[in-house]
Amino acid sequence: MANRTDPLARAVHGTNPQHLIENIVRQKIYEQMFWKEECFALTEDMLVEKAADIRCIGGTYGGQRRATNFLCLVLKLLQMQPDKDIVYE
């Protein structure tokens, strides 16, 4: 359930917004403990707090190319599509 896009979210380029991130990277994000523990049932307000706590940005790292916490939050933003005011905050 946590991997589904909000049904009210707009399609981007005629497709699901999550598909802007490659499938293999999405699968790596879904395997991350940060995704399972911190991004599950995340609300728009809590998303802003989590984003403020992030110390670095990036894509993947390490020998197994693990996804960063930043990438997890980007995918969550694509799923939720919060108002622009919240994103600008």
Short mmCIF file of all heavy atoms in Angstrom, two decimals, residues 8-34:
data_model
loop_
_atom_site.label_atom_id
_atom_site.label_comp_id
_atom_site.label_asym_id
_atom_site.label_seq_id
_atom_site.Cartn_x
_atom_site.Cartn_y
_atom_site.Cartn_z
N LEU A 8 -5.53 10.66 -6.58
CA LEU A 8 -5.86 12.02 -7.05
C LEU A 8 -4.67 12.72 -7.69
O LEU A 8 -4.79 13.84 -8.15
CB LEU A 8 -6.38 12.85 -5.87
CG LEU A 8 -7.63 12.30 -5.17
CD1 LEU A 8 -7.98 13.15 -3.97
CD2 LEU A 8 -8.79 12.21 -6.14
N ALA A 9 -3.52 12.05 -7.73
CA ALA A 9 -2.32 12.66 -8.31
C ALA A 9 -2.45 12.76 -9.82
O ALA A 9 -3.04 11.91 -10.48
CB ALA A 9 -1.09 11.82 -7.95
N ARG A 10 -1.89 13.84 -10.35
CA ARG A 10 -1.92 14.05 -11.80
C ARG A 10 -0.90 13.15 -12.48
O ARG A 10 0.17 12.89 -11.96
CB ARG A 10 -1.58 15.50 -12.12
CG ARG A 10 -2.61 16.49 -11.67
CD ARG A 10 -2.26 17.87 -12.18
NE ARG A 10 -0.84 18.12 -12.15
CZ ARG A 10 -0.24 18.97 -11.33
NH1 ARG A 10 -0.93 19.64 -10.47
NH2 ARG A 10 1.07 19.15 -11.38
N ALA A 11 -1.23 12.73 -13.68
CA ALA A 11 -0.29 11.96 -14.48
C ALA A 11 0.78 12.90 -15.03
O ALA A 11 0.49 14.05 -15.39
CB ALA A 11 -1.02 11.27 -15.62
N VAL A 12 2.01 12.43 -15.07
CA VAL A 12 3.11 13.21 -15.60
C VAL A 12 3.54 12.55 -16.91
O VAL A 12 3.87 11.37 -16.92
CB VAL A 12 4.29 13.25 -14.60
CG1 VAL A 12 5.46 14.00 -15.18
CG2 VAL A 12 3.84 13.87 -13.29
N HIS A 13 3.52 13.30 -17.98
CA HIS A 13 3.84 12.78 -19.31
C HIS A 13 2.94 11.59 -19.65
O HIS A 13 3.38 10.64 -20.29
CB HIS A 13 5.30 12.38 -19.42
CG HIS A 13 6.25 13.52 -19.21
ND1 HIS A 13 6.36 14.56 -20.09
CD2 HIS A 13 7.12 13.77 -18.21
CE1 HIS A 13 7.26 15.41 -19.66
NE2 HIS A 13 7.73 14.96 -18.50
N GLY A 14 1.70 11.62 -19.17
CA GLY A 14 0.73 10.59 -19.48
C GLY A 14 0.92 9.27 -18.75
O GLY A 14 0.35 8.27 -19.14
N THR A 15 1.70 9.27 -17.70
CA THR A 15 1.95 8.03 -16.97
C THR A 15 1.99 8.29 -15.47
O THR A 15 1.93 9.43 -15.02
CB THR A 15 3.27 7.38 -17.45
OG1 THR A 15 3.41 6.10 -16.81
CG2 THR A 15 4.46 8.23 -17.14
N ASN A 16 2.13 7.24 -14.71
CA ASN A 16 2.24 7.31 -13.26
C ASN A 16 3.49 8.13 -12.91
O ASN A 16 4.57 7.86 -13.44
CB ASN A 16 2.36 5.88 -12.72
CG ASN A 16 2.32 5.81 -11.23
OD1 ASN A 16 2.60 6.76 -10.53
ND2 ASN A 16 2.00 4.64 -10.72
N PRO A 17 3.40 9.10 -12.01
CA PRO A 17 4.55 9.94 -11.68
C PRO A 17 5.74 9.16 -11.10
O PRO A 17 6.88 9.57 -11.26
CB PRO A 17 4.02 10.94 -10.65
CG PRO A 17 2.59 10.68 -10.49
CD PRO A 17 2.20 9.53 -11.32
N GLN A 18 5.48 8.02 -10.46
CA GLN A 18 6.58 7.22 -9.92
C GLN A 18 7.48 6.69 -11.02
O GLN A 18 8.65 6.42 -10.79
CB GLN A 18 6.04 6.01 -9.16
CG GLN A 18 5.41 6.34 -7.85
CD GLN A 18 5.12 5.07 -7.10
OE1 GLN A 18 6.02 4.45 -6.59
NE2 GLN A 18 3.85 4.70 -7.06
N HIS A 19 6.95 6.57 -12.22
CA HIS A 19 7.72 6.00 -13.32
C HIS A 19 8.76 6.98 -13.87
O HIS A 19 9.48 6.62 -14.81
CB HIS A 19 6.79 5.50 -14.42
CG HIS A 19 5.96 4.34 -13.96
ND1 HIS A 19 5.18 3.60 -14.80
CD2 HIS A 19 5.79 3.78 -12.74
CE1 HIS A 19 4.57 2.64 -14.13
NE2 HIS A 19 4.93 2.75 -12.87
N LEU A 20 8.83 8.17 -13.32
CA LEU A 20 9.93 9.08 -13.67
C LEU A 20 11.26 8.56 -13.12
O LEU A 20 12.32 8.91 -13.62
CB LEU A 20 9.66 10.48 -13.14
CG LEU A 20 8.48 11.22 -13.77
CD1 LEU A 20 8.24 12.53 -13.04
CD2 LEU A 20 8.73 11.46 -15.24
N ILE A 21 11.17 7.72 -12.09
CA ILE A 21 12.36 7.08 -11.53
C ILE A 21 12.41 5.67 -12.10
O ILE A 21 11.40 4.96 -12.11
CB ILE A 21 12.28 7.05 -9.98
CG1 ILE A 21 12.30 8.48 -9.45
CG2 ILE A 21 13.42 6.25 -9.40
CD1 ILE A 21 12.17 8.60 -7.96
N GLU A 22 13.58 5.26 -12.57
CA GLU A 22 13.74 3.95 -13.19
C GLU A 22 13.28 2.83 -12.27
O GLU A 22 13.38 2.93 -11.05
CB GLU A 22 15.20 3.72 -13.56
CG GLU A 22 15.69 4.59 -14.69
CD GLU A 22 15.08 4.21 -16.02
OE1 GLU A 22 14.78 3.02 -16.25
OE2 GLU A 22 14.91 5.12 -16.84
N ASN A 23 12.81 1.74 -12.85
CA ASN A 23 12.27 0.62 -12.10
C ASN A 23 13.29 0.04 -11.13
O ASN A 23 12.96 -0.22 -9.97
CB ASN A 23 11.79 -0.47 -13.07
CG ASN A 23 11.13 -1.62 -12.35
OD1 ASN A 23 10.47 -1.42 -11.34
ND2 ASN A 23 11.33 -2.82 -12.84
N ILE A 24 14.51 -0.18 -11.55
CA ILE A 24 15.52 -0.78 -10.67
C ILE A 24 15.81 0.12 -9.47
O ILE A 24 15.99 -0.36 -8.35
CB ILE A 24 16.81 -1.14 -11.43
CG1 ILE A 24 17.75 -1.99 -10.58
CG2 ILE A 24 17.52 0.10 -11.94
CD1 ILE A 24 17.25 -3.36 -10.31
N VAL A 25 15.82 1.42 -9.68
CA VAL A 25 16.05 2.36 -8.57
C VAL A 25 14.86 2.36 -7.63
O VAL A 25 15.02 2.39 -6.41
CB VAL A 25 16.36 3.77 -9.11
CG1 VAL A 25 16.53 4.76 -7.98
CG2 VAL A 25 17.60 3.76 -9.99
N ARG A 26 13.65 2.29 -8.19
CA ARG A 26 12.45 2.22 -7.34
C ARG A 26 12.48 0.97 -6.47
O ARG A 26 12.15 1.02 -5.28
CB ARG A 26 11.18 2.20 -8.19
CG ARG A 26 10.65 3.57 -8.49
CD ARG A 26 9.33 3.52 -9.20
NE ARG A 26 9.60 3.13 -10.59
CZ ARG A 26 8.89 2.25 -11.27
NH1 ARG A 26 7.86 1.65 -10.73
NH2 ARG A 26 9.20 1.96 -12.51
N GLN A 27 12.89 -0.15 -7.03
CA GLN A 27 12.97 -1.39 -6.25
C GLN A 27 14.00 -1.26 -5.14
O GLN A 27 13.78 -1.74 -4.02
CB GLN A 27 13.31 -2.57 -7.16
CG GLN A 27 12.26 -2.87 -8.21
CD GLN A 27 10.86 -3.00 -7.63
OE1 GLN A 27 10.66 -3.64 -6.61
NE2 GLN A 27 9.88 -2.38 -8.29
N LYS A 28 15.11 -0.59 -5.41
CA LYS A 28 16.12 -0.38 -4.37
C LYS A 28 15.59 0.54 -3.28
O LYS A 28 15.90 0.36 -2.10
CB LYS A 28 17.40 0.18 -4.98
CG LYS A 28 18.15 -0.84 -5.82
CD LYS A 28 19.37 -0.25 -6.44
CE LYS A 28 20.01 -1.21 -7.39
NZ LYS A 28 20.90 -2.15 -6.78
N ILE A 29 14.78 1.52 -3.66
CA ILE A 29 14.17 2.41 -2.67
C ILE A 29 13.22 1.63 -1.78
O ILE A 29 13.22 1.78 -0.56
CB ILE A 29 13.45 3.59 -3.36
CG1 ILE A 29 14.46 4.53 -4.00
CG2 ILE A 29 12.56 4.33 -2.38
CD1 ILE A 29 13.85 5.59 -4.88
N TYR A 30 12.39 0.78 -2.38
CA TYR A 30 11.43 -0.01 -1.61
C TYR A 30 12.12 -0.95 -0.63
O TYR A 30 11.53 -1.32 0.38
CB TYR A 30 10.52 -0.82 -2.53
CG TYR A 30 9.66 0.01 -3.46
CD1 TYR A 30 9.27 -0.48 -4.69
CD2 TYR A 30 9.23 1.28 -3.11
CE1 TYR A 30 8.48 0.25 -5.55
CE2 TYR A 30 8.45 2.03 -3.96
CZ TYR A 30 8.07 1.51 -5.19
OH TYR A 30 7.29 2.24 -6.03
N GLU A 31 13.36 -1.35 -0.90
CA GLU A 31 14.11 -2.24 -0.02
C GLU A 31 14.78 -1.52 1.14
O GLU A 31 15.19 -2.14 2.11
CB GLU A 31 15.17 -2.99 -0.82
CG GLU A 31 14.60 -3.97 -1.83
CD GLU A 31 15.65 -4.52 -2.75
OE1 GLU A 31 16.85 -4.18 -2.58
OE2 GLU A 31 15.29 -5.29 -3.65
N GLN A 32 14.92 -0.20 1.05
CA GLN A 32 15.61 0.58 2.07
C GLN A 32 14.84 0.59 3.39
O GLN A 32 13.62 0.71 3.41
CB GLN A 32 15.79 2.03 1.62
CG GLN A 32 16.81 2.21 0.54
CD GLN A 32 18.19 1.92 1.05
OE1 GLN A 32 18.68 0.83 0.86
NE2 GLN A 32 18.79 2.87 1.70
N MET A 33 15.57 0.51 4.51
CA MET A 33 14.93 0.58 5.82
C MET A 33 14.33 1.97 6.06
O MET A 33 13.29 2.10 6.71
CB MET A 33 15.93 0.25 6.93
CG MET A 33 16.33 -1.21 6.96
SD MET A 33 14.94 -2.35 7.05
CE MET A 33 14.28 -1.95 8.65
N PHE A 34 14.97 3.02 5.52
CA PHE A 34 14.42 4.37 5.67
C PHE A 34 13.04 4.44 5.03
O PHE A 34 12.12 5.05 5.58
CB PHE A 34 15.36 5.40 5.01
CG PHE A 34 14.89 6.81 5.15
CD1 PHE A 34 15.11 7.51 6.32
CD2 PHE A 34 14.22 7.45 4.12
CE1 PHE A 34 14.67 8.82 6.46
CE2 PHE A 34 13.79 8.75 4.24
CZ PHE A 34 14.01 9.44 5.42
#
